[in-house]
Amino acid sequence: MKPLDSKLKPCMQAQDIDQLYQICANCSVRELCLPVGFTPAELVGLDKVVSQRYTFERKEHIYHIQQPFAGLYAIQSGAVKCYRINKEGDEEVIGFFLPGELIGLEAIHTKHYESSAICLEPTKVCRLDYESLLEAANKMPNLQRQLLNVMSQRLAIQEEHAHQRTAEQRVAAFLLSLSYRYRLRGYSAIDFALPMSRQEIGNYLNLATETISRILTHFQQEKLLIAKSKNIKLLAMNKLKQIALN
Amino acid sequence: MKPLDSKLKPCMQAQDIDQLYQICANCSVRELCLPVGFTPAELVGLDKVVSQRYTFERKEHIYHIQQPFAGLYAIQSGAVKCYRINKEGDEEVIGFFLPGELIGLEAIHTKHYESSAICLEPTKVCRLDYESLLEAANKMPNLQRQLLNVMSQRLAIQEEHAHQRTAEQRVAAFLLSLSYRYRLRGYSAIDFALPMSRQEIGNYLNLATETISRILTHFQQEKLLIAKSKNIKLLAMNKLKQIALN
DNA sequence: CGAGCGTTTGAGACAATTCAAGAGATGTGG
DNA sequence: CCACATCTCTTGAATTGTCTCAAACGCTCG
């Protein structure tokens, strides 16, 4: 583990702060992010919520655990891992996040981040100041609704995740979740590159690295997919779905 | 399993619908529920959100999975289990809920309940019509804030839950969670009665009934607690905390 | 008081982990 | 741009934790 920066100033690792407001209306992931189904007028209002856009390199942190809550971050491009280190020194991965997804939701009630967010590849994010977001949500019922929808969905995903039992089930569900999310973003649902290591997948699914490796090998033997290092090609989505749902 | 009622009308099993509005101001779990920290005037406004109060007997359902979303339910007294039956016919317990807690949050984005809610003992609930709640939240920033806080907290709890590895860790964390929640409600934190069976605890923690039993026996041998049928007496909370955090 | 369900306990089976070693990538400095 | 050092990934073997199956025990409630 890289030592954590002791100063608790958020986003200090941003390389490049865009000087120009890039309004949400022009954002490529608008229809996956909060502003889903908004009118052009509303989109202009939403821009006031976007406090700042930041660009990060691979392995840079967006925020560290326990830093004071500086707002939610909407991922615009790239990929992010939220994680924490437990008492035994092992990494626990809370989740992997793709463009259009919101991170920092768990910090709303405690006012400090509950995990650290690190970029798995070069990544752009929009910081949404929480107070501005609440104000905007008051004026724009659609925004309020959408924010609650996002949180409700995250909750449902977590509850699903909690009840996956076998290792094969978890790995299959994980791959299908990524596949689905890539498809929504206009990428191939059957052929994609994992932005994370086997180790990180294991830390997300509560499985040993070796187990992830073995299961991918096994799926490959069963002709369900081809896994060539980080590249995944799904050959039998239906069979994987069957495994995922048990 | 009791066969499900095929009609999808919500709350049809309510035994007794209170005729009088019981305003939130007089509710015994007010400070645990949404109206935390509200002024008397705000509490009157909040009452308009409470569409109806319902009383249920043990084993009655508040709602069934896939029924159309009829709002959130705030538990006023009693205890509720949210669960679903998976493909293999096994029960998966999403959570146990105590007075002051909100259920139905996962239905916000899908507009139908994602699990069934059954009462573990005689239970009173308040139904919060979602549209009225959103309207009220627009007028009362505190309410909006509080609702988001509740969802944020639920998310954090779920993420915690997802990373508990060993069976002992899970059972210890489960008992401590109950203990903490009872304490908040004015009951003893060290001496309480479980409202659910070993089987249901297992279905919540993804462990076999036998494992729950064995671990309780083991904790008892280690003098960490006394488990006499459903009655639990915690003798060494600190050691349990150590086990829970691993 | 007996029936039936929930709980406890034991023994064997099995899934996933740990430990260990080797193969394959990746990145860095010369 | 290559060579070496360093990660990451894969594979095997032994170990461990939890589950399954089976039987006995003990509440609870009619």
Side-chain angles (χ1 to χ4, degrees), chain B residues 167 208 210-211 214:
Chain B
E210 296 94 322
T211 303
R214 274 187 254 269

Side-chain angles (χ1 to χ4, degrees), chain A residues 1-42:
Chain A
M1 272 302 297
K2 240 169 78 178
L4 299 186
D5 197 314
S6 63
K7 287 172 244 148
L8 288 177
K9 218 165 43 136
C11 313
M12 79 282 277
Q13 288 173 342
Q15 296 288 294
D16 168 28
I17 298 177
D18 291 0
Q19 297 303 320
L20 296 168
Y21 260 117
Q22 154 106 13
I23 67 166
C24 290
N26 294 330
C27 180
S28 61
V29 291
R30 173 163 45 84
E31 56 292 330
L32 295 167
C33 192
L34 274 181
V36 75
F38 277 27
T39 65
E42 287 175 318

Side-chain angles (χ1 to χ4, degrees), chain A:
Chain A
M1 272 302 297
K2 240 169 78 178
L4 299 186
D5 197 314
S6 63
K7 287 172 244 148
L8 288 177
K9 218 165 43 136
C11 313
M12 79 282 277
Q13 288 173 342
Q15 296 288 294
D16 168 28
I17 298 177
D18 291 0
Q19 297 303 320
L20 296 168
Y21 260 117
Q22 154 106 13
I23 67 166
C24 290
N26 294 330
C27 180
S28 61
V29 291
R30 173 163 45 84
E31 56 292 330
L32 295 167
C33 192
L34 274 181
V36 75
F38 277 27
T39 65
E42 287 175 318
L43 287 173
V44 172
L46 195 58
D47 274 340
K48 296 184 185 130
V49 174
V50 180
S51 314
Q52 207 82 58
R53 290 174 65 240
Y54 301 92
T55 302
F56 295 95
E57 295 303 320
R58 188 172 133 82
K59 296 195 182 179
E60 278 190 308
H61 278 82
I62 301 171
Y63 52 73
H64 288 287
I65 187 167
Q66 287 181 340
Q67 277 182 346
F69 181 46
L72 306 174
Y73 289 87
I75 299 166
Q76 211 190 353
S77 68
V80 174
K81 171 181 78 172
C82 290
Y83 73 97
R84 58 185 171 218
I85 307 297
N86 70 16
K87 244 188 176 176
E88 269 145 5
D90 296 327
E91 178 185 83
E92 294 175 350
V93 174
I94 307 305
F96 299 106
F97 299 91
L98 299 181
E101 296 177 335
L102 276 184
I103 61 174
L105 296 170
E106 312 83 351
I108 288 174
H109 77 293
T110 55
K111 299 296 166 208
H112 56 256
Y113 294 107
E114 296 291 312
S115 65
S116 300
I118 192 170
C119 300
L120 299 174
E121 45 188 76
T123 295
K124 292 187 178 182
V125 301
C126 306
R127 183 164 71 84
L128 310 178
D129 177 75
Y130 189 58
E131 295 304 320
S132 313
L133 185 61
L134 287 187
E135 258 181 65
N138 267 325
K139 289 174 197 140
M140 304 160 66
N142 277 350
L143 179 59
Q144 182 185 49
R145 215 175 267 275
Q146 185 58 13
L147 181 57
L148 287 163
N149 280 345
V150 166
M151 297 199 71
S152 170
Q153 187 176 20
R154 277 289 305 281
L155 199 51
I157 289 170
Q158 279 299 124
E159 288 172 357
E160 191 75 29
H161 188 57
H163 283 287
Q164 282 159 354
R165 278 174 308 290
T166 70
E168 294 210 340
Q169 199 181 348
R170 285 168 190 230
V171 174
F174 172 73
L175 292 174
L176 289 171
S177 160
L178 270 186
S179 160
Y180 175 73
R181 287 149 75 201
Y182 280 129
R183 185 161 65 76
L184 284 186
R185 283 154 187 82
Y187 301 109
S188 170
I190 61 167
D191 199 341
F192 50 87
L194 300 173
M196 73 294 283
S197 68
R198 306 284 193 266
Q199 166 109 250
E200 290 170 320
I201 298 173
N203 291 347
Y204 176 56
L205 300 177
N206 283 321
L207 296 170
T209 309
E210 297 94 323
T211 304
I212 306 296
S213 182
R214 274 186 254 269
I215 285 171
L216 288 176
T217 303
H218 179 222
F219 282 171
Q220 195 154 358
Q221 286 164 349
E222 299 284 317
K223 306 244 183 293
L224 302 180
L225 53 77
I226 298 170
K228 198 173 158 59
S229 82
K230 303 228 164 179
N231 298 105
I232 300 287
K233 188 167 207 164
L234 303 184
L235 301 178
M237 296 248 296
N238 284 339
K239 284 186 191 166
L240 283 171
K241 279 177 193 167
Q242 199 131 21
I243 292 169
L245 298 175
N246 18 311

Side-chain angles (χ1 to χ4, degrees), chain B residues 121-144:
Chain B
E121 45 189 74
T123 294
K124 291 186 180 184
V125 301
C126 306
R127 182 164 72 84
L128 310 178
D129 177 76
Y130 189 58
E131 295 303 319
S132 313
L133 184 60
L134 287 187
E135 259 181 64
N138 267 324
K139 290 174 196 142
M140 303 160 66
N142 278 350
L143 179 59
Q144 182 186 48

